[in-house]
């Protein structure tokens, strides 16, 4: 059974670890991206780039953030295919 992003968000929101904090932050920023102006979108893109490099170096918060971005993007792509 595949979990939805909302279910994963709720689960990680209840936990208090660096990974779960990064995950909830990633979901919130991904959802807010479409409502931002150009400056806000640029800022979110920079945050994503920073967390990508942190995740590659082993940072748990960065890993959680990038997992959230991946999950949200995959869910959005799956909805578009229907």
């Amino acid at each position: 059974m595949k979990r939805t992003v909302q279910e994963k968000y709720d689960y990680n929101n209840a936990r208090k670890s660096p990974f779960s904090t990064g995950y909830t932050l990633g979901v919130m920023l991904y959802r807010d991206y479409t409502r931002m102006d150009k400056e806000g979108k640029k800022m979110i893109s920079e945050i994503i780039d920073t967390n990508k490099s942190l995740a590659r170096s082993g940072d748990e918060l960065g890993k959680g953030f990038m997992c959230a971005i991946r999950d949200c993007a995959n869910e959005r792509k799956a909805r578009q295919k229907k």
Side-chain angles (χ1 to χ4, degrees), residues 2-63:
K2 189 172 181 180
R3 306 245 186 257
T4 64
V5 172
Q6 187 60 43
E7 289 172 334
K8 291 179 183 180
Y9 174 82
D10 293 338
Y11 173 77
N12 283 303
N13 197 27
R15 300 182 69 213
K16 299 299 177 205
S17 68
F19 181 88
S20 61
T21 302
Y23 194 90
T24 55
L25 179 63
V27 170
M28 289 187 299
L29 284 179
Y30 191 90
R31 290 177 177 171
D32 289 342
Y33 183 81
T34 56
R35 292 181 243 145
M36 295 284 186
D37 57 353
K38 284 186 178 183
E39 188 175 313
K41 288 181 179 183
K42 183 180 178 185
M43 182 183 65
I44 289 176
S45 294
E46 290 172 357
I47 293 170
I48 291 171
D49 291 341
T50 302
N51 279 293
K52 185 176 182 179
S53 64
L54 288 173
R56 285 185 176 167
S57 67
D59 182 57
E60 287 296 314
L61 189 123
K63 286 181 182 181

